[in-house]
């Protein structure tokens, strides 16, 4: 499975591509950041993010896109920008028929470090180890995007089994 | 000036096109709602909103798009959806090089009713009167989109004068 992780943001949108299956060593195919100038107009920033995400999808042809689920506990201004950047990433994937999965920050931290309350340094260290990199990817948004992709690869089998069980239960319910 | 007003939302995205200049009677060229099913996946909903907004722009060729500025006082779930739908409308306009203006709900209410705390019925009644319609546009999202477009037509001259003054001041500052 090849997953594009996206840590959405208007100023820095982290992107990372990881390939692999749960239980096997994972491979990083690429990592980077789509940046837009803070003083540019919102419309121009969103167009730049769309173009950046499209380029990453063109180059890496992911089978799934994992995006950080936006929460409200942050500062309101930041949340708006995050929600808008996440909308663009979700739109780009959906236009290509690529499924989009959302994971919360604590799911991602728990997946890669074992603790939902791990700090940025811990996440960076585990991403470096799990992908056998020489140094933690910089900036943190890039490392977070890789962590999202890893989280998705590891959680997907469980999520699929759950969906299959729900579907089976529903179909049994319909044919008494 | 021809303005497309957009009252952003995932379930109902109000759209309305108004033509005119400040101080003259205004003309409504179209009004409607882009709807997406609440049980559809987020990605599919965003693609449907993109297609809907594109159709309105293709048909009416607005010179400006006025979008409601998203605020935080609402329920968090609603704000996320509003921010995401507003990102799509802003993206569609920016891709075509059409300027996007944001107006707060109270600016819009104050522009069309004289009070920033007017209720939906009052906004609907004034939109009906100002555009010489037979009945208030339904649903309220459609009326709000028209109110946004009217607000923009009336406020734009003042905003332009302000921008010109700022630009003049800045250019004087640079050439002492």
């Amino acid at each position: 499975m090849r997953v594009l992780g996206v840590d959405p943001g208007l100023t820095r949108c982290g992107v990372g591509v990881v390939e692999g299956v749960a239980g096997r060593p994972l491979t990083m195919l690429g990592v980077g950041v789509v940046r837009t100038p803070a003083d540019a107009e919102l419309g121009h920033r969103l167009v730049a993010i769309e173009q950046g995400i499209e380029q990453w999808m063109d180059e890496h042809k992911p089978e799934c896109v994992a995006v950080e689920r936006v929460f409200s506990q942050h500062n309101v201004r930041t949340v708006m920008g995050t929600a808008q950047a996440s909308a663009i990433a979700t739109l780009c994937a959906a236009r290509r028929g690529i499924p989009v999965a959302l994971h919360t920050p604590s799911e991602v931290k728990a997946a890669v470090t074992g603790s939902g309350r791990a700090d940025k340094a811990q996440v960076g260290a585990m991403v470096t180890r799990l992908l056998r990199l020489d140094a933690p990817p910089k900036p943190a948004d890039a490392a977070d995007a890789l962590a999202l992709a890893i989280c998705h690869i590891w959680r997907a089998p469980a999520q699929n089994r759950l969906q299959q069980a729900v579907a089976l239960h529903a179909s049994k319910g319909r044919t008494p």
Side-chain angles (χ1 to χ4, degrees), chain A residues 132-175:
Chain A
R132 301 174 309 284
L133 309 177
D134 295 330
K138 292 271 170 65
D141 315 76
D144 286 347
L146 292 171
L148 266 157
I150 295 170
C151 169
H152 184 70
I153 290 172
W154 287 353
R155 288 175 63 101
Q159 287 184 340
N160 289 345
R161 280 198 301 276
L162 187 66
Q163 283 165 6
Q164 282 163 7
V166 169
L168 188 68
H169 183 78
S171 69
K172 276 187 179 161
R174 269 188 242 109
T175 39

